[in-house]
């Protein structure tokens, strides 16, 4: 299994499982293998009573540059899409225990939409959230087309998801995408501290509270599938292939 995703259980933060994106040389772009490892960790979190909260973290200056472009291109030129991305999205959207995240710097594509499924996201002031789906001839994923307009209203969701406009940390806070903005050196400590505070709460009460706040997730899960159909079709389009090739040629 790859070290591009590290699964950690830091002793100083009991009950917290960390899923760390750890491929800084590629801006933490996420490959199929990385999705599979994250899915496994989420599955373990669901059944292991020692894990009360899962925390997503990246590396200094970068949460993630989104899906690996080489994987996109491989599919566009005839490869199989695999189930890794969808398995991950379903595991994330269906998680029964709290999920938090900490962002410092770049958060692109799924590096942004992942936080729509997190309960608390801490970000540094220099963080920028961006989803250039349409610029790549793709469409929104991870049920972002459903959740983002609910959270931030149509116009801000459209600017983010369709126009590909960047959202700086302060605006992401105002839009309700994230919970808190802190100094870049404090992101990990704040994220893990709040995760550990959640981990100390009565788990059953927390689970029920979370379920009530999140509401019925069947619409989220069916939107993930609906978006995925469009996404897969667009991945095969000539316009998407041209965009991926242009990126790889840079
Ligand atoms: N997939 C694969 N590799 C990626 C990547 C991605 N999504 N994003 C960055 N990388 C790689 C680059 O190819 C480069 O690799 P190399 O050093 O072997 O050439 C390395 O990461 C560093 O990226 P670079 O572009 O040189 O850094 P930058 O600071 O100039 O720009 C980004 C960073 C994230 C703005 C830019 O890389 C980018 O736009 N990436 C694509 C983001 C994207 O569209 N993701 C898909 C969303 S659906």
């Amino acid at each position: 299994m790859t070290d591009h995703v590290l699964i950690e259980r830091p002793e100083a933060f009991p009950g917290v499982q960390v899923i760390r994106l750890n491929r800084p040389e590629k801006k933490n772009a996420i490959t199929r293998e990385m999705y599979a490892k994250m899915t496994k960790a989420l599955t373990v979190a669901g059944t292991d009573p020692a894990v009360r909260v899962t925390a997503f973290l990246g590396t200094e200056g970068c949460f993630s540059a989104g899906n690996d472009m080489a994987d996109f291109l491989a599919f566009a030129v005839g490869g199989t899409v695999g189930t890794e991305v969808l398995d991950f999205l379903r595991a994330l959207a269906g998680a029964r225990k709290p999920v938090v995240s900490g962002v410092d710097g770049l958060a692109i594509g799924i590096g942004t939409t992942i936080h729509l499924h997190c309960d608390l996201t801490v970000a540094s002031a220099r963080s920028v959230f961006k989803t250039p789906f349409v610029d790549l001839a793709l469409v929104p994923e991870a049920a972002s087309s459903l959740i983002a307009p609910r959270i931030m209203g149509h116009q801000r969701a459209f600017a983010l998801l369709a126009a590909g406009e960047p959202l700086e940390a302060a605006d992401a806070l105002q839009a309700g995408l994230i919970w808190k903005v802190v100094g870049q050196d404090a992101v990990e400590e704040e994220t893990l501290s709040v995760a550990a505070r959640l981990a100390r709460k009565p788990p059953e009460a927390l689970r029920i509270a979370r379920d009530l706040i999140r509401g019925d997730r069947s619409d989220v899960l069916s939107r993930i599938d609906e978006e995925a159909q469009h996404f897969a079709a667009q991945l095969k389009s000539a316009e998407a292939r041209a965009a991926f090739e242009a990126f790889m040629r840079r």
Side-chain angles (χ1 to χ4, degrees):
M1 268 294 199
T2 176
D3 284 343
H4 292 154
V5 170
L6 300 177
I7 311 300
E8 303 158 351
R9 293 195 187 181
E11 263 177 41
F13 302 96
V16 179
Q17 170 180 256
V18 174
I19 300 179
R20 184 186 295 278
L21 295 161
N22 182 46
R23 197 189 177 205
E25 70 283 5
K26 294 286 183 187
K27 303 283 179 193
N28 295 335
I30 307 175
T31 60
R32 291 168 62 171
E33 197 183 19
M34 291 164 71
Y35 284 112
K37 192 161 175 183
M38 295 196 293
T39 303
K40 191 170 169 214
L42 286 172
T43 307
V44 168
T47 53
D48 184 346
V51 178
R52 299 274 185 96
V53 178
T54 293
F56 283 98
L57 292 172
T59 49
E60 191 186 343
C62 184
F63 181 75
S64 175
N67 199 95
D68 188 274
M69 291 291 233
D71 278 4
F72 272 164
L73 183 60
F75 179 64
V77 299
T80 53
V81 71
T83 62
E84 292 90 346
V85 178
L86 265 182
D87 290 346
F88 171 70
L89 293 178
R90 288 185 186 129
L92 178 65
R96 308 311 298 189
K97 294 180 185 174
V99 180
V100 303
S101 52
V103 178
D104 175 34
L106 282 174
I108 303 183
I110 194 157
T112 284
T113 56
I114 198 172
H115 309 295
L116 294 167
H117 299 276
C118 293
D119 301 300
L120 295 168
T121 296
V122 175
S124 64
R126 65 176 173 177
S127 297
V128 179
F129 300 84
K130 186 172 158 72
T131 59
F133 297 124
V134 175
D135 295 315
L136 294 170
L138 299 173
V139 299
E141 38 74 306
S144 56
S145 63
L146 180 73
I147 304 171
R150 280 182 183 166
I151 291 177
M152 57 185 82
H154 171 80
Q155 298 231 350
R156 282 187 289 193
F158 189 89
L160 179 70
L161 298 173
E165 292 288 329
L167 199 56
E168 293 186 359
D171 294 327
L173 181 67
Q174 226 214 346
L177 177 66
I178 62 176
W179 172 54
K180 205 177 198 185
V181 177
V182 300
Q184 62 205 50
D185 296 334
V187 169
E188 295 221 0
E189 178 69 25
E190 288 279 342
T191 306
L192 295 174
S193 295
V194 74
R197 291 202 295 279
L198 288 173
R200 285 197 294 273
K201 298 196 186 294
E204 187 57 10
L206 183 58
R207 187 192 63 74
I208 296 168
R210 183 174 186 266
D211 278 352
L212 289 167
I213 294 164
R214 289 218 154 249
D216 179 26
R217 286 182 241 177
S218 54
D219 56 348
V220 170
L221 291 165
S222 51
R223 182 62 65 95
I224 286 173
D225 290 345
E226 186 184 348
E227 290 169 343
Q229 284 180 11
H230 293 291
F231 203 98
Q234 282 301 117
L235 270 175
K236 291 276 187 203
S237 69
E239 54 187 12
R241 181 173 169 168
F244 307 146
E245 284 173 344
F247 178 80
M248 301 307 286
R249 265 199 314 272
R250 292 170 326 145

